Amino acid sequence: MSADDEIVNPSHGPRFTDLLALAASRRQLLKLGAAGAALALFGRSGAAADAPAAAAAPAAALAGLPGFTAIATSTEDTVRVPPGYEWAVLTRWGDPVGAQAGQPRWRSDAGNDAAEQALQFGMHHDGMALFPLGTDGTRALLALNHEYVDHGLLFADGMDGWSAAKVAKSMAAHGVSVVELVQADGRWSVVSPSQYARRITAATPMRLAGPAAGHALLATAADPQAQTVLGTFNNCACGQTPWGTYLSCEENFNGYFARTAGEPTALEKRYGIKDKSDYRWHEHEPRFDPALHPNEAHRFGWVVEIDPHDPAAVPVKRTALGRFKHENAAVTLAADGRVVVYLGDDQANEYLYRYVSKGRYTPGMARAAAGALLDDGILFVAHFGADGHGEWRALVHGRDGLDAGNGFADQAEVLVKTRLAADVRGATKLDRTEWVAIHPGRAEVAVTLTNNSGRKSADAADPRAPNPHGHILRWRPDGADHAADGFAWEVFVLAGDPQAEDASARGNQPGLNAANTDAAFSSPDGLAFDARGLLWIETDVSTGKLWHPQLAPKQGAYQVFGNNQLLVANPDTGEIRRFLTGPVGCELTGIAFSPDLRTLFVNIQHPGEPLDANTEFNDPTAPQRWSQWPDGPGGGRPRSATLAIRRTDGGPVGS
């Protein structure tokens, strides 16, 4: 069981599945498929249906998906795209980021040391965002997360002879890369050297801001004023602000801490901190041992704002956005200009959040002033009503049980203990709340719920228990205003296998059946709307479940899905097509578009992660056991990478 699958929420709040089961008047929605569900949701009576009409969807989205032929599933150790498309590797783990001339090159024997790794792209590319430079569309900055590492690939001898030097390299392979890109003849490349290039790692100083900054719960011996944190890690997905900054989200931070004495506290347990860590940083960096430094863990699990335009700018942890296992941070504006951020907590039975700023954003604001809007506002948690209408419940100290009697002395404690505050407010438990995506042409939001194999409750109205393949939920805020307290919600699609005997494993994509599996997928994770309103879906079936011919008949229930994949959906018709399949053992994640939509950037994370072992670490004696991608047999070891995908005729991707 991975950390994401483990359930650490002991509260008795409603589960999303329970709400669906209670919605007896809407039992047919799960049978209608995505298109029928859309009509049922957005034609219902109530505030959302009566709201003024939002902007019409772009024509490309309404016209379906005529631009490419859906591809079949694959178990090949390569990337496959539709006819008429081509892909190229843009960045790889270990490539120089271009921060200075003469940077150390990648060593295929894993011989680079920590100082060299700190000048190279980190491991396990994840969320990313593109920031155009100039107006001609030929230059841009790319900010890119490096979520975690595989010590079996990072070191030639794995974790043998574990040392401070190995911990330093592991920490240097985490964090964020910022690079400059240039485009010529439709093809992008990394500029090196570049004045913008930088690496942010698990040792980079960062500033704390917002209500929890300076609070006693964040104070440590090294930082008694609780103002400066060293580093960021397990940076999963991301966000992009209207003022041109990058939001990097700290997810499974708990896995880096290990309590060596005494039992984990109740708060540590609620966040999944245990007495051991697979990364073993605490053995040479004592701050990762809560028995010695009990507040250090409180300094992680935040959203970090990074200014990619200024390599000297200190990253800022925005504590008003809450502390939990952040997946991404989807940013938009309310009708009156207030900043709204949607946030998911990626663990089974955790919650969906929304932040609304007090101040208003106006175009042209200085980035520092605009960033401060993320320090003063209200964090809410979602409650989904059985009648198809939900509400955002405020997490404000002194209200609704969030007081000293329940363990919250002030607003800072509400935010440090966000999960506990959400428990008190009766938030709806969800099946691993992953990426949130906001439609560009209307007030509509979607979120992936990757899976929850530990779900127990089920009945005839909701056969998804357990939920091995996940689903996608969407909603529209009342009055088409993202700051509204209510919203209309519905299931957009249930992922799964159309041929599965078990009803909990079947998908309901329109047109999906035993003879047509062009849209069969499991475990939706990454999610993004493009500028036309098409919805791109990335999958993350865990490597312990991925099917491969070498393991047959093991994991036969996942054979129909093959390797992880990227799909495209029309949110108006529900049509879904498979666009890309990745190499063996990878996750598809991270997505960005060039301004002209002629290039799609996608990340291939952890190719070659072991399919036959209960570990995310490869055997260092056989680094190419499962994958040789992208460098082939002579590459030494598989590498996470960013792809640049384009149509060979130069047209917009996906249409």
Side-chain angles (χ1 to χ4, degrees), residues 267-617:
L267 182 59
E268 289 168 356
K269 290 179 180 178
R270 186 66 180 84
Y271 280 84
I273 293 173
K274 301 180 180 179
D275 59 358
K276 61 180 179 180
S277 165
D278 290 339
Y279 296 98
R280 295 172 56 186
W281 289 0
H282 66 287
E283 295 178 19
H284 296 280
E285 286 282 345
R287 67 186 174 108
F288 294 103
D289 181 354
L292 300 175
H293 301 277
N295 285 349
E296 187 69 21
H298 301 160
R299 295 148 67 87
F300 297 90
W302 304 104
V303 173
V304 183
E305 185 178 23
I306 297 167
D307 185 350
H309 304 274
D310 181 3
V314 176
V316 183
K317 296 199 177 189
R318 301 292 184 185
T319 65
L321 300 183
R323 175 176 170 266
F324 43 89
K325 295 185 178 182
H326 286 276
E327 185 66 23
N328 79 328
V331 186
T332 189
L333 297 178
D336 62 1
R338 285 180 290 166
V339 179
V340 176
V341 188
Y342 292 105
L343 309 141
D345 187 350
D346 183 11
Q347 191 160 1
N349 286 352
E350 295 301 337
Y351 308 128
L352 176 70
Y353 297 87
R354 182 196 65 169
Y355 170 86
V356 181
S357 70
K358 180 179 179 181
R360 292 166 172 77
Y361 171 73
T362 56
M365 285 181 70
R367 287 191 292 273
L373 295 172
L374 300 179
D375 295 333
D376 187 9
I378 297 177
L379 187 66
F380 299 80
V381 68
H383 180 275
F384 292 83
D387 63 348
H389 194 263
E391 64 175 348
W392 295 105
R393 297 182 173 180
L395 303 180
V396 177
H397 180 256
R399 291 166 42 184
D400 307 300
L402 301 181
D403 51 33
N406 282 319
F408 306 99
D410 48 34
Q411 185 62 23
E413 290 206 12
V414 169
L415 295 168
V416 172
K417 306 173 184 177
T418 300
R419 282 184 167 181
L420 279 71
D423 294 343
V424 172
R425 295 293 280 122
T428 301
K429 297 178 180 179
L430 299 169
D431 291 344
R432 290 188 56 196
T433 314
E434 297 252 12
W435 288 47
V436 181
I438 302 169
H439 196 287
R442 59 187 182 228
E444 178 179 321
V445 191
V447 62
T448 48
L449 305 177
T450 292
N451 53 50
N452 185 355
S453 296
R455 183 198 293 174
K456 304 298 182 182
S457 60
D459 58 35
D462 178 23
R464 304 289 299 217
N467 182 13
H469 301 305
H471 53 292
I472 298 175
L473 176 70
R474 66 175 175 181
W475 67 92
R476 279 187 174 175
D478 292 350
D481 185 356
H482 289 285
D485 289 335
F487 56 92
W489 66 270
E490 189 46 87
V491 174
F492 173 60
V493 65
L494 299 173
D497 175 4
Q499 305 177 63
E501 294 184 6
D502 182 354
S504 69
R506 292 187 203 131
N508 73 336
Q509 299 93 314
L512 180 61
N513 53 52
N516 171 25
T517 59
D518 285 349
F521 67 96
S522 173
S523 304
D525 190 332
L527 194 70
F529 282 104
D530 67 23
R532 300 158 298 192
L534 296 178
L535 185 63
W536 296 75
I537 306 166
E538 298 171 312
T539 72
D540 181 22
V541 179
S542 65
T543 49
K545 295 178 180 176
L546 282 171
W547 187 84
H548 190 277
Q550 294 183 27
L551 299 178
K554 182 182 178 183
Q555 305 301 355
Y558 287 80
Q559 182 173 354
V560 66
F561 308 116
N563 296 344
N564 277 308
Q565 54 186 284
L566 170 67
L567 307 101
V568 189
N570 182 322
D572 299 311
T573 66
E575 181 184 7
I576 300 176
R577 292 186 190 177
R578 185 178 301 108
F579 179 82
L580 178 150
T581 57
V584 173
C586 82
E587 170 189 347
L588 265 294
T589 186
I591 190 165
F593 305 90
S594 62
D596 60 7
L597 292 179
R598 298 181 189 278
T599 304
L600 165 67
F601 300 95
V602 175
N603 283 329
I604 303 295
Q605 188 186 91
H606 61 67
E609 187 169 272
L611 306 186
D612 60 348
N614 186 28
T615 178
E616 296 174 338
F617 296 169

